[in-house]
Amino acid sequence: MQRPVRKAVFPVAGLGTRFLPATKAQPKEMLTIIDKPIIQFAVEEAIAAGITHLIFVIGRTKRSIADHFDANPELDMLLRSKGKDEMADTLNSIVPKDIACIYFRQAEALGLGHAVACASPVIDDDEPFAVLLADDLMRAQTPVLKQMIDLYDRTGRSVVAVEDVAPDMVSSYGIVDADLPHVGSSGRLRGVVEKPKVEDAPSNQAIVGRYILDGSIMKLLRDQTPGAGGEIQLTDAISRLVGAPGVDAYRFEGRRYDCGSKIGFVEATMASALEHPEYGDQTRQMMRDLLDRDA
């Protein structure tokens, strides 16, 4: 009987150089979309999908991530003394009490595969686990990770989330070789090529920041030699799972915002503002006013 997916790895040790100077003294993952840091969106998605153990792989400058998900009794007491019980309850619910947070330090930035392997001490070889890249903010009626876990529960195979990308973006992603005719479809992965030239790409369908992986990948990552860019590439290890036990590519239902780029971050902020229950109407009018002013 296969084990359920209950653990999720969040590789958050990167330096975030594309967002300097904003990230000089704070992690990129703590940049806020309206009133919530990027990393919290991914954590909420994981918890909504049934994850009970959140495993953060952090760097030496990422202390504030741990602080954000930790309890703060002094702040709680201050808010309640001022009659702000609702805000105190909101902060206390960021990570429910039955959810465990585990932290590992990645001493060197040696690639995504290396970051995932840092979590191996708490993941068994026969235990499936999720990987969420906080840079990819996902909005969907059913959380994207929940869609993928449901697929894993049916097949018992690893799953990678994919979406179509423009030809000029192919060289920035791991590109899959699989038959995926429409959104919501899945198919056995025949292979994956990391950051290929467009003429060498097997498709225009790119792996994006959600994975369900067989625990056996940890041994592969520990033994793996560096690949593209001199780093331990996660896609190289995924390629070695293709034959057995097998990997499915899944065209998820929902919208992805690439918060690893400045324009993607702006897009995510605008979309979140428009959907915000308190600020949505004001934001919509503000955007109309700005467009009219520039017309």
Side-chain angles (χ1 to χ4, degrees), residues 44 60 75 79 122 184 188 199 204 228 238 251 262 281 284 291 293-294:
E44 290 175 350
R60 63 182 180 83
L75 179 58
L79 289 171
V122 294
R188 290 291 292 266
E199 60 268 23
N204 70 327
I238 291 172
R251 287 183 68 180
K262 291 178 183 177
D281 291 342
R284 192 167 285 104
L291 289 171
R293 187 183 308 165
D294 293 338

Side-chain angles (χ1 to χ4, degrees), residues 75-261:
L75 179 58
D76 181 81
M77 186 180 299
L78 176 64
L79 289 171
R80 295 189 189 282
S81 71
K82 295 179 178 297
K84 298 181 178 181
D85 291 353
E86 185 176 349
M87 177 56 69
D89 292 341
T90 297
L91 295 182
N92 288 331
S93 67
I94 290 175
V95 176
K97 296 186 183 303
D98 59 342
I99 302 296
C101 292
I102 304 166
Y103 298 89
F104 288 98
R105 174 74 65 86
Q106 185 185 23
E108 295 181 78
L110 299 178
L112 178 57
H114 179 266
V116 172
C118 289
S120 62
V122 294
I123 294 175
D124 298 332
D125 287 348
D126 65 342
E127 181 179 23
F129 65 98
V131 176
L132 295 92
L133 306 187
D135 281 358
D136 286 334
L137 192 159
M138 305 291 206
R139 290 192 176 278
Q141 186 169 359
T142 299
V144 171
L145 191 66
K146 178 65 166 63
Q147 298 174 39
M148 297 171 67
I149 289 176
D150 288 345
L151 176 59
Y152 169 80
D153 288 342
R154 294 194 299 270
T155 68
R157 293 188 293 269
S158 296
V159 186
V160 295
V162 303
E163 70 172 8
D164 293 349
V165 295
D168 63 338
M169 294 300 295
V170 161
S171 61
S172 299
Y173 292 90
I175 303 297
V176 302
D177 181 5
D179 297 321
L180 305 169
H182 56 79
V183 171
S185 63
S186 63
R188 290 291 292 266
L189 193 65
R190 293 185 290 266
V192 56
V193 182
E194 180 66 20
K195 299 180 179 178
K197 296 179 180 178
V198 65
E199 60 268 23
D200 298 327
S203 72
N204 70 327
Q205 293 171 343
I207 297 177
V208 294
R210 299 294 183 271
Y211 310 76
I212 304 294
L213 299 173
D214 188 88
S216 63
I217 201 172
M218 287 300 192
K219 184 178 187 306
L220 299 179
L221 289 169
R222 290 193 296 267
D223 297 339
Q224 188 168 294
T225 56
E231 298 182 333
I232 304 298
Q233 297 290 348
L234 183 60
T235 48
D236 289 345
I238 291 172
S239 293
R240 296 167 68 186
L241 293 179
V242 168
V247 181
D248 286 334
Y250 173 63
R251 287 183 68 180
F252 62 91
E253 298 179 22
R255 178 69 183 271
R256 164 186 170 255
Y257 297 94
D258 178 11
C259 292
S261 70

